[in-house]
Amino acid sequence: MSRKLAAEFFGTFVLVFGGCGSAVLAAGFPELGIGFLGVALAFGLTVLTMAFAVGHISGGHFNPAVSLGLAIGGRFSWGELAPYWIAQVLGGLVAATVLYVIASGAPEWVAGGFASNGYGALSPGGYGVMSALLIEVVLTAIFLMVILGSTSPKAPAGFAPIAIGLCLTLIHLISIPVTNTSVNPARSTAVAFFAETGAAGQLWLFWVAPLLGAALGAVIWKALLDRSEDSDVPAALPAE
């Protein structure tokens, strides 16, 4: 169990440090800024690389919503849910702390939003609470369905991290203007307390919405899609 928790801590550390770090350190850099597209790719690449690196140890969740969805989907033990959540949140908090120390070394640097999530005045596009809630629920549900589908027995073997990483990239491309993209309570918690915008006061939404979305995605998968695993219909791209 300790190896699993260490893997989740490390994977979540890299996700927050890489994804949020790209936003804090590189997205707005004069002339060389990577922009929304670069940040979206950074989040997707962190999940993809960490899934390959340590996914075989812990399952590569790096996200409390993913752990919940996998438990509801019957792919993860309920007894391990709380320890996974603790490891994920701690990994994110340590990453955000390290990132803050690095970023604060720049002259005249201010934390500002510090890659935090938000709605209303804290939304990059000024979107309200209902827009933020809905997009986080819907996109987290889609994310869980991709995870469950790409890791199912009939999916092409060995490609799940790629599908999951690309899905997270797509999610960010859609929702960065709305909420700065969470779909991950650990990621949101990690940076909220370093932001100078009051993001911590809106953190509730970025726990409630991803957890609801993960549960919804798992229920939809079990009710509508998972039946194909018990049928005689071959996979679309059967593994060799």
Side-chain angles (χ1 to χ4, degrees):
M1 183 63 170
S2 61
R3 291 179 68 248
K4 292 182 179 180
L5 298 181
E8 285 297 303
F9 177 97
F10 176 68
T12 312
F13 176 97
V14 174
L15 185 151
V16 171
F17 189 76
C20 295
S22 70
V24 171
L25 301 175
F29 197 83
E31 298 181 2
L32 299 176
I34 61 175
F36 282 1
L37 175 59
V39 173
L41 284 170
F43 272 101
L45 289 172
T46 58
V47 169
L48 188 157
T49 53
M50 287 302 98
F52 275 122
V54 299
H56 61 286
I57 299 173
S58 66
H61 302 184
F62 320 136
N63 181 339
V66 170
S67 297
L68 176 65
L70 292 176
I72 293 172
R75 302 277 188 87
F76 182 60
S77 168
W78 285 99
E80 295 181 329
L81 185 61
Y84 264 55
W85 280 15
I86 292 170
Q88 291 156 357
V89 170
L90 289 177
L93 286 170
V94 172
T97 302
V98 174
L99 178 60
Y100 184 89
V101 172
I102 294 171
S104 62
E108 301 181 2
W109 179 81
V110 293
F114 200 67
S116 60
N117 304 114
Y119 54 85
L122 303 188
S123 160
Y127 289 84
V129 62
M130 287 306 299
S131 295
L133 182 67
L134 186 58
I135 200 166
E136 290 287 331
V137 169
V138 170
L139 290 179
T140 311
I142 292 171
F143 192 39
L144 256 294
M145 293 173 70
V146 169
I147 291 171
L148 288 166
S150 63
T151 57
S152 70
K154 290 192 175 182
F159 290 94
I162 299 173
I164 294 166
L166 289 176
C167 181
L168 190 60
T169 299
L170 175 61
I171 285 170
H172 279 77
L173 290 173
I174 296 169
S175 60
I176 284 177
V178 183
T179 62
N180 211 26
T181 310
S182 173
V183 301
N184 185 338
R187 168 261 189 273
S188 297
T189 302
V191 294
F193 297 101
F194 291 96
E196 297 175 345
T197 58
Q202 297 186 357
L203 187 57
W204 66 270
L205 186 143
F206 301 102
W207 273 88
V208 172
L211 293 179
L212 283 176
L216 178 63
V219 169
I220 293 173
W221 173 259
K222 286 176 68 68
L224 300 180
L225 302 179
D226 198 45
R227 296 176 186 177
S228 65
E229 296 185 11
D230 298 323
S231 72
D232 294 327
V233 179
L237 296 172
E240 295 181 358

